[in-house]
Amino acid sequence: MQGRHGGMAKAVWWRVLSLALALWTAPVWAEENGFLDAAGDAPRLLAAIEKERPAFTPPAGVTGISVPHHLLADDLIARGFWAASAMHPRRVLLISPDHFRKVKGAFATTREDLRTVFGIVPADDAGVDALLSHPELFEALPGIDHEHGVMALAPFVAHFFPDAQIVPVLASINADASDWSAAVAALKPLIDADTLVVQSTDYSHYLPQGEAVLRDQETLTMLAAGDADGVLPLMQPSHMDSKSAQFIQLRLQHDVFGAVPVVLANRNSAEYGPSENSSTSYVVTAWVKDPAAGAVFDYPDQHRVMFAGDTLAGRYLLPALRDKAAWAAITGAVSATTANTPLIVNLEGVVLDEPVAGLGIGEHLMLMEDTAPLLAAFRVRGTSLANNHANDLGDVGREESVRLLKSIGIAPIEHGAVTDFGGFRIVGINFVRGRLTGDRLASPDDLDWVCGLHAAPPLVAFVHWGTEYTDAPSDAERGVAEKLAGCGVSLVVGAHAHRASPVITPMAGGRGMMLYSLGNFLFDQSESRGSGELLELRVFRQGTIAARLVPLPNLFELGKKALEAAP
């Protein structure tokens, strides 16, 4: 025990000494770069950190973050580091733009320790030496105290990860796509389970806020699509100040961790004070290995909901819905996936108080005694009735469904109508003919009426379309999505196909996005026929949206297994 206490005392002594040294030297580098003035203000940084202390428990398994380096947005920097705070990295790989053109080639690093107001962040000598073994790609700088892309974040590294060593990487503005790929190959051997990859990036630069918002949406769409090559057509600095850092982060997260991005914030400098014709945008992103883990990230400056696919609280699902063990298995799986995020589902049928005799197998009926508990348990806020089964019992059945859903506080989304959900609007559109559908059917050749809708952006189209048991759109669906995007639709979310699509597809040059099919949510089809996923939507105050996919187990199979296991 004595040796242990002696070691602890030595560690404390070293931290005190390094903090004193940092406080003594901080004014020197702060004066060299006005962007770093706030980096020496410990009370301000601590206030930003405390302001962003999350109301939830940050998840384990965060493998990377993207944060601003503009200390005007110190709260957003803190948000990103809080997101990764459950991790205790041994190595932090920090990728920054080279703002002051100090890098002669493509990339640079340094063996120098970083002095911060919260202590010294030591260089990871082994990691730095490994990069410098590629002299055609990396060069050594004597120091980088001038570079706010690194030094604005260094105090947060010191505060959140005091035991970590750092490998800083400065990316030249002249580095091209081949250099980025070569850097990815050189960096991969440095990354293990104890590595956090930090991307230091400010987004749209020098634009009026309105144009910056458009560029931000194109960037958010690229992140939703998840393809690093989507960085290539973006503009620097109109979209971001370091395409290199963005590309490298996306590739490392995909190739090494199999991690996916969760956008935690999108904000413009105009929100912090007057900004007439020139602004800077900020995007905060966390990468998680388990997409469901990202559902806990919940913040008061955004609206958040998940879209779910085909839902039928009836027919062959009834035994599971009415069995205590099976019901617990289903609701437990949903809760673990959504973290109680509100849902909007495609409700495939008619809701009534009492059963109807003589229905055929193709007519979908749900009783309130089964449907209401299900919708409440899953925190459903809205149900789309813009589908081929909502009219199975004609106008009377559909009108009764609308009445009953409203009676339990759930918004019915009808074909051709816009429903306001506060931060966003949804229009339901049905392209699939069904029993007694009547004129509740859209034509792909006649969508001009969507352009005439009185709906403030962002507008989501929840569509019923496509071919059953397919997971990718045809040219017909792509054409419809582009037309809808041209009418101001920000997001097209599809149902009917019963199989989940693997990717989100950009529309209108990235100003909109499409998910062809959510597949099934709670529907009586086995795993061999149907699959499902959720689409999380985050709407930020400036009207931009972020979307991502969250895989979902087959809830019908889950319920069946619970029934079979019952004594």
Side-chain angles (χ1 to χ4, degrees), residues 11-370:
V12 171
W13 178 86
W14 172 247
R15 292 292 293 168
V16 170
L17 179 62
S18 63
L19 178 60
L21 178 62
L23 288 169
W24 179 63
T25 58
V28 176
W29 48 257
E31 289 172 4
E32 294 174 357
N33 182 353
F35 289 106
L36 285 171
D37 290 346
D41 189 343
R44 171 179 168 166
L45 298 184
L46 289 172
I49 291 167
E50 186 57 33
K51 175 186 175 184
E52 284 294 322
R53 181 182 294 275
F56 53 84
T57 301
V62 172
T63 54
I65 56 175
S66 171
V67 293
H69 44 249
H70 191 179
L71 283 165
L72 177 68
D74 53 7
D75 55 337
L76 294 186
I77 301 175
R79 179 176 296 188
F81 277 90
W82 271 117
S85 61
M87 188 186 181
H88 303 285
R90 177 182 58 84
R91 170 179 287 156
V92 170
L93 171 62
L94 197 159
I95 310 166
S96 163
D98 169 35
H99 285 95
F100 299 103
R101 311 295 191 268
K102 300 288 186 179
V103 180
K104 297 177 182 177
F107 299 97
T109 185
T110 184
R111 294 187 177 92
E112 293 300 307
D113 298 339
L114 306 183
R115 300 164 296 171
T116 85
V117 72
F118 297 133
I120 289 177
V121 180
D124 182 338
D125 292 335
V128 171
D129 288 344
L131 296 185
L132 294 177
S133 69
H134 302 277
E136 76 288 354
L137 196 61
F138 291 90
E139 64 190 83
L141 295 179
I144 54 174
D145 283 356
H146 64 281
E147 178 51 67
H148 59 282
V150 173
M151 297 308 300
L153 272 56
F156 294 89
V157 175
H159 177 84
F160 281 92
F161 311 122
D163 298 322
Q165 296 180 329
I166 194 164
V167 179
V169 173
L170 269 59
S172 168
I173 192 173
N174 297 315
D176 60 23
S178 63
D179 297 320
W180 308 345
S181 294
V184 170
L187 291 167
K188 281 182 180 179
L190 303 186
I191 298 174
D192 56 23
D194 295 319
T195 303
L196 179 69
V197 183
V198 177
Q199 174 194 344
S200 173
T201 302
D202 288 337
Y203 286 81
S204 63
H205 277 61
Y206 316 126
L207 301 175
Q209 187 181 9
E211 186 176 348
V213 168
L214 295 177
R215 298 301 178 214
D216 285 355
Q217 187 57 67
E218 292 163 358
T219 297
L220 294 173
T221 299
M222 177 273 298
L223 289 171
D227 182 4
D229 287 342
V231 175
L232 299 178
L234 300 184
M235 298 177 289
Q236 188 172 277
S238 293
H239 286 99
M240 62 192 71
D241 61 13
S242 180
K243 292 170 62 174
S244 298
Q246 186 71 78
F247 180 92
I248 292 169
Q249 176 73 291
L250 281 165
R251 279 284 307 277
L252 290 176
Q253 292 300 328
H254 177 273
D255 295 356
V256 179
F257 296 112
V260 294
V262 185
V263 179
L264 310 183
N266 176 217
R267 196 178 294 172
N268 188 274
S269 58
E271 293 189 41
Y272 293 87
S275 178
E276 295 180 1
N277 297 313
S278 182
S279 67
T280 303
S281 291
Y282 313 115
V283 177
V284 180
T285 310
W287 272 262
V288 293
K289 289 184 283 187
D290 175 11
V296 304
F297 293 121
D298 194 21
Y299 304 98
D301 62 349
Q302 58 202 243
H303 292 267
R304 191 168 67 93
V305 71
M306 286 183 173
F307 285 85
D310 295 349
T311 303
L312 175 63
R315 210 165 56 181
Y316 302 119
L317 266 164
L318 289 178
L321 298 182
R322 294 172 178 178
D323 178 83
K324 185 176 181 181
W327 172 252
I330 291 170
T331 55
V334 172
S335 179
T337 305
T338 67
N340 294 317
T341 304
L343 297 183
I344 295 172
V345 307
N346 178 52
L347 198 61
E348 284 270 347
V350 180
V351 182
L352 297 179
D353 271 330
E354 297 178 350
V356 175
L359 288 182
I361 192 66
E363 295 164 337
H364 295 182
L365 174 64
M366 293 170 277
L367 297 180
M368 274 293 282
E369 63 182 276
D370 302 306

Side-chain angles (χ1 to χ4, degrees), residues 479-492 507-508 511-513:
V480 167
E482 289 292 341
K483 288 179 183 179
L484 293 174
C487 286
V489 171
S490 300
L491 173 66
V492 178
M507 303 186 306
R511 297 193 179 186
M513 57 188 94

Side-chain angles (χ1 to χ4, degrees), residues 380-450:
V380 174
R381 290 182 57 198
T383 57
S384 177
L385 302 179
N387 57 59
N388 58 320
H389 284 290
N391 301 283
D392 277 357
L393 298 181
D395 289 346
V396 173
R398 183 182 54 78
E399 290 168 3
E400 184 66 1
S401 298
V402 169
R403 185 188 71 81
L404 290 172
L405 289 169
K406 287 182 176 179
S407 74
I408 56 174
I410 293 175
I413 302 163
E414 297 195 74
H415 171 75
V418 174
T419 304
D420 194 332
F421 285 88
F424 59 98
R425 268 59 47 200
I426 298 178
V427 57
I429 308 178
N430 176 40
F431 292 97
V432 181
R433 187 172 299 281
R435 187 175 184 273
L436 302 176
T437 301
D439 60 359
R440 295 179 183 88
L441 193 68
S443 168
D445 299 320
D446 181 17
L447 293 172
D448 290 344
W449 60 271
V450 178

Side-chain angles (χ1 to χ4, degrees), residues 310 465-471 495-499 516-517 519-520 529:
D310 295 349
W465 64 357
T467 303
E468 289 186 308
Y469 311 114
T470 61
D471 63 6
H496 175 67
H498 298 299
R499 298 203 64 82
Y516 167 65
S517 175
N520 292 334
R529 298 195 73 196

